[in-house]
Amino acid sequence: MTKKVKDILKNYGGDNPGVLSQLAKIFNHGSLAGTGKLVIFPVDQGFEHGPDASFFKNPPSYDPAYHFELAISAGCNAYSAPFGFIDSVAREFAGQIPLILKANNSDSLYKNPKSPLPAITSGVEEALRLGCSAIGFTIYPGSEDSLSMYESAVKLGREARKAGLPLVIWSYPRGGSLSKEAETALDVVAYSAHIACQLGAHIVKVKPPADFFEKQKLKTSSDSLDKRVAHVIQAGFSGRRIIIFSGGPAKDKTDLLGEIKLLAKGGAFGSIVGRNVFQRPKEEALVLLKEIMEIYKKSV
């Protein structure tokens, strides 16, 4: 156990040994073990956007085993997916990488722009049976159904803690009166990260914030991504909670790595990158993940 990881765990003094052990397991796994940084590989896009929209560009990625193998070979800290993807091959890969079960999901066949509300598709019982190290949940701050999502997140977090599992919250502002541009506004992303922390999340996933303010013009420079990231980290209880950032829409490799360099410079705890990885051929994806990890290693 490195001092860096011990210092992070000290911020979770109210949690039981089971939760702390699983957080430590995630931080001490893979290429970034002991650095206090995370690169997590998530594959919930098949459920969220459809299998063809997600996997057609790289046909081997229709197979759940492909993603396990990719995450393990690259040395990711953890792999996250909905119940079906993990359950289908969990026995084959048992014990090889920490798993995060994504407990709620939505699909693109039905849209309610004002009130997006994911369905609860699994829970703590499934996470324990599959040997997961954490459980994940999406909230949409700004949605007309946001309050019920908060209540569900708290309930899941309470059950997870009793079972010794950390809670990971995907906090994506969306719906209600928020404009599309507002979904990545600096003040809104910071607010969404703070809400997730208030709900008891151990790890919070948000999108990289844009140089834009929706509701509150902050007296801080926002023209550089690293400065915007530093403010989001500040909103996460002044760095007492683990804030990681999504890879966002598919983009050029150079642009992606440039963005991650600024995330790391701003103090991000890490990245959770999915489609920008698995939509590339496997060897290319492995190289990309290792380059991302190298950026975070150099930032420590």
Side-chain angles (χ1 to χ4, degrees):
M1 181 78 74
T2 63
K3 183 179 183 302
K4 183 71 71 172
V5 175
K6 283 182 179 179
D7 287 344
I8 292 171
L9 296 181
K10 285 178 184 176
N11 291 324
Y12 297 86
D15 282 292
N16 62 50
V19 169
L20 298 179
S21 294
Q22 293 297 349
L23 281 174
K25 182 178 179 180
I26 293 170
F27 272 108
N28 289 325
H29 185 86
S31 298
L32 291 172
T35 63
K37 300 295 181 179
L38 302 172
V39 171
I40 296 172
F41 183 45
V43 187
D44 57 350
Q45 287 83 357
F47 200 136
E48 300 282 336
H49 304 293
D52 295 328
S54 302
F55 308 134
F56 186 78
K57 288 183 180 179
N58 181 25
S61 64
Y62 281 94
D63 184 352
Y66 176 86
H67 302 285
F68 268 84
E69 291 167 352
L70 183 56
I72 292 165
S73 298
C76 293
N77 294 83
Y79 168 65
S80 174
F83 172 74
F85 244 35
I86 293 179
D87 182 61
S88 63
V89 290
R91 180 181 293 275
E92 181 181 347
F93 297 97
Q96 297 185 46
I97 188 170
L99 302 175
I100 301 170
L101 176 63
K102 188 69 164 43
N104 68 338
N105 297 274
S106 56
D107 64 79
S108 61
L109 297 176
Y110 171 77
K111 292 246 183 223
N112 187 343
K114 292 288 185 183
S115 186
L117 179 64
I120 296 174
T121 55
S122 57
V124 170
E125 181 179 347
E126 289 82 9
L128 292 175
R129 180 175 67 78
L130 294 170
C132 294
S133 293
I135 194 161
F137 196 83
T138 294
I139 60 171
Y140 295 138
S143 166
E144 292 177 358
D145 282 307
S146 61
L147 299 185
S148 67
M149 280 183 264
Y150 299 163
E151 291 172 356
S152 296
V154 169
K155 181 180 178 181
L156 179 66
R158 186 181 301 123
E159 295 173 359
R161 280 179 170 82
K162 286 181 180 179
L165 294 176
L167 175 65
V168 184
I169 290 185
W170 278 242
S171 192
Y172 289 166
R174 189 174 300 172
S177 63
L178 292 176
S179 66
K180 186 67 178 175
E181 192 176 24
E183 293 179 6
T184 54
L186 174 55
D187 57 325
V188 176
V189 172
Y191 196 171
S192 298
H194 189 81
I195 288 171
C197 294
Q198 293 282 16
L199 294 175
H202 298 89
I203 301 174
V204 178
K205 176 192 176 187
V206 292
K207 294 181 179 181
D211 184 11
F212 173 72
F213 297 96
E214 171 73 2
K215 296 183 179 296
Q216 185 173 359
K217 176 67 176 176
L218 303 176
K219 294 180 179 179
T220 183
S221 175
S222 62
D223 59 351
S224 177
L225 178 58
D226 58 307
K227 294 177 182 176
R228 298 195 295 271
V229 166
H231 178 64
V232 175
I233 300 296
Q234 183 182 39
F237 298 177
S238 290
R240 289 179 177 270
R241 291 296 177 263
I242 301 158
I243 311 291
I244 58 177
F245 293 82
S246 71
K251 54 175 71 78
D252 174 82
K253 177 181 176 179
T254 301
D255 292 339
L256 176 64
L257 292 177
E259 179 177 88
I260 288 173
K261 287 177 182 176
L262 291 172
L263 293 176
K265 184 179 178 182
F269 283 78
S271 287
I272 179 164
V273 186
R275 82 190 84 181
N276 274 292
V277 171
F278 66 71
Q279 289 185 344
R280 290 176 160 86
K282 189 172 186 179
E283 290 307 312
E284 186 180 335
L286 284 170
V287 170
L288 177 58
L289 280 169
K290 289 177 180 179
E291 289 183 79
I292 292 171
M293 293 172 194
E294 194 59 32
I295 290 170
Y296 280 111
K297 281 182 184 176
K298 291 179 178 177
S299 72
V300 176

